Amino acid sequence: MLSLYLTRRTWLHALPAWSKLLALSLAGTALVMVSSLSSMGLIGALVTLLYCSLGRAAWRQWRMLRGLLVAALLIIGFHWWIGDPAIGLLTALRLMAATMLALMLTLTTRFDDLLQVLETLLSPLRRLGVPTERIALGIGLMLRFAENFTVQWQRLDDAHRARGGRSSSWRLLAPLAVRALQSAERVADALAARLGH
C-alpha cells in the first residue's frame, strides 16, 4: 500500500515511535485544555514552525490540509454567525494544530514501529487471554488504510486536475472505491497466506 512516510530523514525520524506517540498524546490533551485565544495562536505558530523544520519534502504534503482549512473556515464562519467568533477561531486553531502534529507523526514514523508500540501497550492484556497481536494488527491496519486512502485520493485528484478537471470532484469516488477494494483484497490475501502457516 502507498504511504505518506518520508524516506528522506529529518530530525524527527531519529526519535523513537513511542516518544512521538507520547508527545502527541500529551500535546492533544494540552490543546484541549488551552482556552486563551492568544495562547492558542502562539501554539499554532510554534506547531507550524515545527512542521516547517521537517523540510521541503514535508511541506509538499501541506496540500493534504487544504480540506482541513475549509473545515476551519466553516467553523469560524458558523461561530461568527451565532455571535461568538473567538470560540470559532480558538476551535479552528486547535483543530489545525492537532492535525499538523498527527501529520508530522505519520510522515516520520514507520508503520512497523507504530505496530510494535501498540503491541507493547497491549501486552498486559495477554495475561487475560486477549489476542493482543491481532488487536494491534487490526488497529495498525486501520491507520494504514486511512493513510493509503489519503494518498490514493491525492494521486487521483492530481491526475484529474492535470486532465483539466476540478479539484476533489465527485467523479473520483468510483475509481477511489475500486482502488481501496483492490488494496483491501491484496492485504486480505497476504494475511490469509501468512496466518494460514
Side-chain angles (χ1 to χ4, degrees):
M1 286 190 290
L2 298 174
S3 174
L4 295 173
Y5 180 74
L6 297 177
T7 55
R8 185 173 182 178
R9 293 187 64 81
T10 66
W11 63 269
L12 197 53
H13 282 78
L15 299 179
W18 68 266
S19 66
K20 288 184 275 191
L21 282 170
L22 178 61
L24 180 62
S25 301
L26 294 175
T29 303
L31 285 173
V32 173
M33 296 176 67
V34 173
S35 57
S36 167
L37 185 57
S38 58
S39 297
M40 187 59 69
L42 185 61
I43 291 171
L46 179 61
V47 170
T48 303
L49 287 174
L50 280 174
Y51 188 89
C52 291
S53 71
L54 297 180
R56 187 176 298 177
W59 188 249
R60 290 194 194 105
Q61 301 300 329
W62 172 257
R63 58 185 175 167
M64 294 180 54
L65 300 176
R66 286 180 300 188
L68 189 63
L69 283 171
V70 174
L73 290 174
L74 289 174
I75 290 171
I76 294 171
F78 173 75
H79 282 86
W80 191 289
W81 181 64
I82 64 175
D84 201 350
I87 293 295
L89 189 56
L90 180 68
T91 304
L93 286 171
R94 182 181 291 132
L95 179 64
M96 291 295 297
T99 305
M100 288 179 71
L101 288 171
L103 182 57
M104 289 173 65
L105 172 72
T106 304
L107 293 174
T108 61
T109 312
R110 293 187 308 119
F111 173 71
D112 293 342
D113 295 335
L114 286 175
L115 192 59
Q116 186 175 4
V117 173
L118 288 174
E119 289 178 354
T120 302
L121 290 174
L122 294 172
S123 60
L125 297 177
R126 290 179 190 165
R127 298 177 182 176
L128 302 175
V130 178
T132 56
E133 294 85 1
R134 295 195 175 197
I135 294 175
L137 181 60
I139 296 173
L141 283 175
M142 179 188 67
L143 296 173
R144 191 71 170 84
F145 268 104
E147 181 182 358
N148 180 68
F149 185 85
T150 303
V151 176
Q152 291 280 14
W153 176 270
Q154 184 178 328
R155 289 192 173 185
L156 285 170
D157 186 49
D158 289 343
H160 184 69
R161 283 187 297 160
R163 292 192 299 268
R166 293 183 179 179
S167 178
S168 302
S169 171
W170 61 269
R171 294 182 181 88
L172 301 179
L173 293 177
L176 182 64
V178 170
R179 291 193 179 192
L181 290 172
Q182 288 174 340
S183 296
E185 186 176 5
R186 285 194 297 269
V187 171
D189 290 343
L191 284 174
R194 182 173 181 178
L195 296 176
H197 287 80

